[in-house]
Amino acid sequence: MLSALVAFGARCLLVGLFLPFSALDKILNFKQAVAQASQAVLNRVVAKALIACGLGIEVVMSVAILTGVADRLKGTSSGRELFWDFMKNVALAGGFLTLAFGSDATGVQHFLHHPLQSSQPYVIAEAAHER
């Protein structure tokens, strides 16, 4: 029983970012999400469709991971555990790169020009723009 609870807890942590936060943000702030998607896609209908697809994927796949359905799509596989570990590492790498670069392209440019300089994460935003 304890091992089942631990496994379910680990799955909850895995989907914790996507299901309650990202999906809820897309629902509550749909206009802002469409505006952000419109920066990449000029057609607003396509932007709305992309946001809706992303929301659907987040909800459906989160539920599939929590229920174990996603694990059973292809049966048992010896490489499945390795694949999940790899994907978790890729997700962590993306998170660390976001911390290193910041949330926009100017952070990447600053990092490439000054790779050993601190990002000064605790500086107030107005002072950070003066660097």
Side-chain angles (χ1 to χ4, degrees):
M1 178 67 171
L2 179 61
S3 61
L5 289 174
V6 170
F8 182 72
R11 288 172 186 258
C12 287
L13 291 173
L14 180 64
V15 301
L17 175 67
F18 303 105
L19 187 58
F21 299 114
S22 182
L24 186 62
D25 184 52
K26 283 180 180 64
I27 293 169
L28 296 177
N29 301 309
F30 189 74
K31 289 182 181 179
Q32 288 87 354
V34 171
Q36 184 179 12
S38 295
Q39 293 174 357
V41 179
L42 298 178
N43 188 335
R44 289 189 63 82
V45 174
V46 174
K48 288 180 182 180
L50 289 173
I51 295 297
C53 286
L55 176 63
I57 289 170
E58 285 175 345
V59 171
V60 170
M61 289 309 297
S62 294
V63 171
I65 289 170
L66 287 175
T67 61
V69 172
D71 289 348
R72 293 189 297 261
L73 290 177
K74 288 288 185 179
T76 58
S77 169
S78 61
R80 184 181 77 214
E81 291 84 12
L82 183 62
F83 177 73
W84 277 106
D85 288 341
F86 172 74
M87 291 308 294
K88 286 186 273 183
N89 288 338
V90 168
L92 283 171
F96 285 129
L97 286 173
T98 301
L99 288 174
F101 294 151
S103 60
D104 60 5
T106 59
V108 175
Q109 183 179 16
H110 181 76
F111 179 81
L112 293 175
H113 285 87
H114 309 285
L116 300 177
Q117 186 178 23
S118 171
S119 63
Q120 302 176 356
Y122 305 109
V123 175
I124 304 219
E126 291 178 20
H129 290 297
E130 295 174 3
R131 329 181 233 169

